[in-house]
Amino acid sequence: MPIVLLIIVGIAAGFLATRIMRLDTDVITTVAIGIAGALVGGFVLRWLMAAMGLLSGLVGAVLGAVVLIWIWQRYFKR
Protein backbone atom coordinates (compact mmCIF):
# COMPACT_ATOMS: atom_id res chain seq x y z
CA MET A 1 0.00 0.00 0.00
CA PRO A 2 1.62 3.28 -1.02
CA ILE A 3 2.43 5.66 1.84
CA VAL A 4 0.05 8.38 0.60
CA LEU A 5 -2.84 5.92 0.51
CA LEU A 6 -1.88 4.66 3.98
CA ILE A 7 -1.98 8.22 5.32
CA ILE A 8 -5.37 8.92 3.70
CA VAL A 9 -6.86 5.67 5.04
CA GLY A 10 -5.21 6.40 8.40
CA ILE A 11 -6.80 9.83 8.62
CA ALA A 12 -10.24 8.43 7.85
CA ALA A 13 -9.77 5.45 10.18
CA GLY A 14 -8.44 7.59 13.02
CA PHE A 15 -11.32 10.03 12.69
CA LEU A 16 -13.93 7.26 12.65
CA ALA A 17 -12.28 5.31 15.48
CA THR A 18 -11.95 8.34 17.77
CA ARG A 19 -15.61 9.17 17.15
CA ILE A 20 -16.74 5.58 17.77
CA MET A 21 -14.74 5.45 21.03
CA ARG A 22 -15.77 9.04 21.97
CA LEU A 23 -12.13 10.08 22.36
CA ASP A 24 -11.23 13.76 22.12
CA THR A 25 -7.78 13.99 20.52
CA ASP A 26 -5.81 16.46 18.44
CA VAL A 27 -5.26 15.98 14.72
CA ILE A 28 -1.76 14.49 15.00
CA THR A 29 -2.88 11.90 17.57
CA THR A 30 -5.94 11.05 15.49
CA VAL A 31 -3.80 10.50 12.39
CA ALA A 32 -1.23 8.47 14.36
CA ILE A 33 -3.98 6.28 15.82
CA GLY A 34 -5.46 5.81 12.37
CA ILE A 35 -2.16 4.90 10.71
CA ALA A 36 -1.27 2.47 13.52
CA GLY A 37 -4.77 1.04 13.27
CA ALA A 38 -4.35 0.68 9.53
CA LEU A 39 -1.19 -1.33 10.10
CA VAL A 40 -2.77 -3.52 12.80
CA GLY A 41 -5.98 -3.95 10.84
CA GLY A 42 -4.03 -4.69 7.68
CA PHE A 43 -2.17 -7.55 9.34
CA VAL A 44 -5.17 -8.96 11.20
CA LEU A 45 -7.68 -8.63 8.37
CA ARG A 46 -5.40 -9.34 5.41
CA TRP A 47 -7.63 -12.14 4.18
CA LEU A 48 -10.63 -9.78 4.18
CA MET A 49 -8.76 -7.26 2.05
CA ALA A 50 -7.99 -9.90 -0.53
CA ALA A 51 -11.62 -10.95 -0.70
CA MET A 52 -13.40 -7.59 -0.51
CA GLY A 53 -11.00 -4.91 -1.76
CA LEU A 54 -10.14 -1.41 -0.55
CA LEU A 55 -13.32 -0.84 1.47
CA SER A 56 -12.40 -3.75 3.71
CA GLY A 57 -9.03 -2.04 4.22
CA LEU A 58 -10.86 0.92 5.72
CA VAL A 59 -12.96 -1.41 7.88
CA GLY A 60 -9.82 -3.20 9.05
CA ALA A 61 -8.09 0.11 9.76
CA VAL A 62 -11.03 1.38 11.83
CA LEU A 63 -11.23 -1.88 13.78
CA GLY A 64 -7.48 -1.83 14.37
CA ALA A 65 -7.63 1.77 15.58
CA VAL A 66 -10.58 0.98 17.88
CA VAL A 67 -8.61 -1.90 19.41
CA LEU A 68 -5.57 0.34 19.92
CA ILE A 69 -7.72 3.04 21.54
CA TRP A 70 -9.30 0.44 23.84
CA ILE A 71 -5.87 -0.88 24.87
CA TRP A 72 -4.60 2.67 25.40
CA GLN A 73 -7.64 3.61 27.54
CA ARG A 74 -7.51 0.36 29.49
CA TYR A 75 -3.79 0.22 30.27
CA PHE A 76 -2.11 3.58 29.62
CA LYS A 77 -4.66 6.29 30.38
CA ARG A 78 -3.61 8.80 33.01
Side-chain angles (χ1 to χ4, degrees):
M1 185 180 269
I3 191 73
V4 174
L5 187 57
L6 178 65
I7 291 170
I8 292 169
V9 170
I11 290 168
F15 176 78
L16 291 171
T18 55
R19 295 308 167 258
I20 289 169
M21 298 296 290
R22 293 187 176 113
L23 186 67
D24 187 28
T25 61
D26 59 11
V27 173
I28 300 299
T29 303
T30 300
V31 171
I33 288 170
I35 291 173
L39 292 173
V40 170
F43 287 123
V44 172
L45 299 175
R46 190 170 193 86
W47 63 270
L48 183 61
M49 257 179 86
M52 303 292 272
L54 185 60
L55 183 59
S56 65
L58 177 61
V59 171
V62 171
L63 291 175
V66 166
V67 168
L68 287 175
I69 291 169
W70 179 80
I71 290 170
W72 177 66
Q73 286 181 336
R74 178 88 170 135
Y75 296 108
F76 300 107
K77 191 150 183 178
R78 302 167 244 191

